Amino acid sequence: MQTLSNINVQLNDAPLDQDAFLVIDNVSKVYPTPSGPHVVLDGVNLSVREGEFVCIIGHSGCGKSTLLDMVSGFRQPTEGQVRLQSEPIVKPGPDRMVVFQNYSLLPWFTAFENIYLGIDSVWPDKPKAEKEAIARDHLALVGLAEAADKKPKQLSGGMKQRVCIARALALRPQVLILDEPFGALDPITREELQEELLKIWTEHQVTVLMITHDIDEALLLADRLVMMTNGPAAKVGEILEISFPRPRNRSRVMESPLYYELRNYALDFLYRRCAHDDVE
Amino acid sequence: MATNISTRPRSNPYAPNWGSKIIKALTNFVPTLVAIVVFLLIWQLLCSGPNATLPGPIQVLQDTWDPLIIDPFFQGDGTDQGLFWQLAASLKRVAIGYFLAAIVGIALGILVGVSTIMFRALDPIFQVLRTIPPLAWLPISLAAMRDAQPAAIFVIFITAIWPIIINTGVGVQNIPQDYNNVAKVLQLSKPKYFVKVLLPATVPYIFTGLKIAIGLSWLAIVAAEMLTGGVGIGFFIWDAYNSGAISEVILAILYVGLVGLLLDKLITFIGKLVLPED
Ligand SMILES: Nc1ncnc2c1ncn2[C@@H]1O[C@H](COP(=O)(O)OP(=O)(O)OP(=O)(O)O)[C@@H](O)[C@H]1O
Ligand SMILES: [Mg+2]
């Protein structure tokens, strides 16, 4: 840890806590391309405590989705290892639920059926009434009890993303992975959902990894903000400690003098020290 | 009467308005009607000269009114049957061949869509076989079955199966990656994935294939029956031509067209039942 005025920054040469809840241990990802191997990530190190809320920010194409895909198990690291509670991650599973970048509800099922499908798959032996109760409770959790019988097409973008969050949380995951979950929403809905996610996380204390392009979103939600360097061969640049007391609310966070210091620090990292000089 | 009207509640502007619905139906139908009349007039004009080789519409109607049009349910000996029975015989062959093609085609399409190895192995074969004209199968089919009836059905089967296989395969391959990813995180079992994800995602493509296939089947049965003979609309046309009854040929062709249209609408209708909204 380094202390710059009252900002806590962890630099990327800090030793990795090998026994943390979730460990991304020296992970590299190389894609073979026609013009030779393309190194997307080069030696990414990150450890996450249980119940922590971590946001990841970085320029488009630097490899954020690739990194989280290796936590969810959709891709395997070329080098290094991702471990959850000391177990290497080899494939996707309901202990690491993902809220995808696009809406990924099955359009032929209602909101309720979409949530029920997962519950039924993970706990096939639970009595039906109990599984239905879990689905209903989680729809209520995201404020959509009334929309249970609606198809995704009848739901707004914000409502769809709420159902996705409900579906993920209903399976009691150890890690919740969100890839720009609110990127496609209008600003007002986005703020509503951020506050809802904050509330849910406070109640569930689930470990969250969330990609965002929105520094304010990260400052409101996260315990730490992971700032990635530009690709190719991106790594963790610096990790900002976001120490606003909890429970947080938006206006209190934004009134804090620390808020502007943190914000400026992150902006400086992204747009000066890691400015995009090459074309995308 | 005027007092009656004034006591009525004002009509709800959002309620369906029957007057405007009827007008809309009329505006849709009138151009069609005009086109049919113009078509009949031109036909009549072209065929009314002394050297005309084909009968005009009035002539066709006169020649076929009794007994073909008024007695479609006539039952005589051998192939001497009313038009209803001729069409029914053809439809029965199509139904059997098409039904078999649908079952085998959907199964093969799913196999090819799910398995890359199967796709590499079978797709080139399908691509060659599907370009073979339906009637080219008839000699092989006759040689193999040694009987006209199953040979005609086999021709329908082999004509209908390719668009079903290919569209089903494309449908499976085009299942959005997001849906497959969801299935993976939820660790859906194979049967669950099949029923809850693969089939619903593929059904629209399957129906595209089924719709193309029904049109091709109906095209093929008429041609096949001309060669295989027996009761059926195809042989009826050929037989009428050989006995110089061109008016009967024209009437039968009209029926073939109408039945083809109905078959197409039937599949579309079933498709709508299976896929509610969209
Ligand atoms: N399957 C693949 N094969 C080759 N290259 C790939 C593949 N998937 C991703 N890439 C490349 O890896 C890089 C990182 O992609 P990734 O989607 O992880 O970026 P990202 O940080 O999530 O971007 P965004 O913010 O736009 O979502 C990109 O340059 C992309 O072109
Ligand atoms: Mg991404």
Side-chain angles (χ1 to χ4, degrees), chain A residues 59 230 268-278:
Chain A
H59 284 290
N230 288 339
D268 181 69
F269 179 89
L270 285 172
Y271 296 105
R272 205 175 54 77
R273 282 154 60 200
C274 274
H276 246 226
D277 37 25
D278 50 351

Side-chain angles (χ1 to χ4, degrees), chain B residues 7 20 25 29-30 33-34 48 60 73 81 96 98 111 118 132 147 159 161 187 193 212 218 245 247 263:
Chain B
T7 56
S20 77
F29 184 61
V30 166
L33 199 68
V34 171
S48 55
V60 168
F73 301 110
Q81 306 289 331
I96 299 171
Y98 179 78
L111 182 70
M118 282 302 173
I132 297 173
D147 186 12
T159 305
I161 198 168
Q187 291 183 341
Y193 170 75
I212 299 171
W218 192 237
S247 292
L263 287 177

Side-chain angles (χ1 to χ4, degrees), chain A residues 4-278:
Chain A
L4 308 156
S5 66
N6 32 18
I7 297 182
N8 282 331
V9 180
Q10 182 187 326
L11 298 174
N12 61 4
D13 51 7
L16 181 68
D17 175 7
Q18 295 284 349
D19 304 319
F21 182 68
L22 175 73
V23 184
I24 298 174
D25 185 357
N26 202 21
V27 160
S28 301
K29 182 72 188 178
V30 183
Y31 288 113
T33 65
S35 52
H38 175 52
V39 183
V40 175
L41 297 170
D42 183 17
V44 174
N45 282 309
L46 181 66
S47 61
V48 179
R49 293 189 311 270
E50 183 165 12
E52 197 177 12
F53 198 129
V54 173
C55 277
I56 298 169
I57 206 163
H59 284 290
S60 185
C62 71
K64 305 180 293 295
S65 298
T66 305
L67 181 64
L68 289 204
D69 275 356
M70 291 186 286
V71 180
S72 53
F74 283 112
R75 302 182 211 217
Q76 289 298 315
T78 315
E79 262 173 60
Q81 204 177 43
V82 184
R83 289 187 301 272
L84 179 61
Q85 295 187 307
S86 312
E87 287 293 316
I89 287 166
V90 289
K91 64 172 190 193
D95 54 333
R96 287 154 283 126
M97 277 303 293
V98 186
V99 174
F100 293 94
Q101 207 161 3
N102 319 315
Y103 313 120
S104 52
L105 298 174
L106 300 175
W108 42 85
F109 288 143
T110 62
F112 177 86
E113 288 166 337
N114 264 289
I115 298 176
Y116 186 86
L117 179 68
I119 300 172
D120 189 35
S121 174
V122 173
W123 297 297
D125 300 329
K126 275 197 178 165
K128 189 154 190 278
E130 192 183 337
K131 290 187 276 195
E132 285 174 350
I134 297 176
R136 266 195 306 276
D137 288 350
H138 284 83
L139 267 175
L141 178 75
V142 295
L144 284 180
E146 266 91 84
D149 295 324
K150 292 214 168 118
K151 296 264 175 76
K153 211 176 295 168
Q154 298 162 277
L155 302 174
S156 70
M159 290 159 101
K160 279 188 248 193
Q161 220 47 336
R162 282 189 164 99
V163 177
C164 287
I165 292 173
R167 171 174 68 186
L169 288 174
L171 305 183
R172 301 269 148 216
Q174 294 182 301
V175 182
L176 181 64
I177 296 169
L178 305 111
D179 190 339
E180 283 184 63
F182 311 140
L185 304 177
D186 64 88
I188 294 173
T189 314
R190 190 183 313 156
E191 291 198 352
E192 271 173 26
L193 274 171
Q194 286 164 358
E195 275 151 32
E196 216 152 292
L197 180 62
L198 188 60
K199 194 182 108 230
I200 289 170
W201 175 82
T202 312
E203 286 163 11
H204 277 63
Q205 290 299 318
V206 60
T207 311
V208 176
L209 290 182
M210 171 166 155
I211 296 174
T212 177
H213 275 140
D214 181 348
I215 295 176
D216 296 323
E217 180 168 285
L219 292 182
L220 173 68
L221 298 174
D223 295 312
R224 285 188 296 155
L225 174 57
V226 176
M227 299 186 290
M228 306 215 13
T229 64
N230 288 339
K235 31 172 107 241
V236 173
E238 292 180 3
I239 302 177
L240 260 185
E241 200 79 35
I242 302 171
S243 49
F244 301 117
R246 308 227 183 222
R248 293 177 186 172
N249 78 40
R250 192 181 302 274
S251 47
R252 224 178 313 138
V253 165
M254 289 179 70
E255 278 160 14
S256 156
L258 181 60
Y259 177 80
Y260 287 96
E261 281 184 57
L262 288 170
R263 197 168 188 278
N264 287 334
Y265 191 90
L267 284 171
D268 181 69
F269 179 89
L270 285 172
Y271 296 105
R272 205 175 54 77
R273 282 154 60 200
C274 274
H276 246 226
D277 37 25
D278 50 351

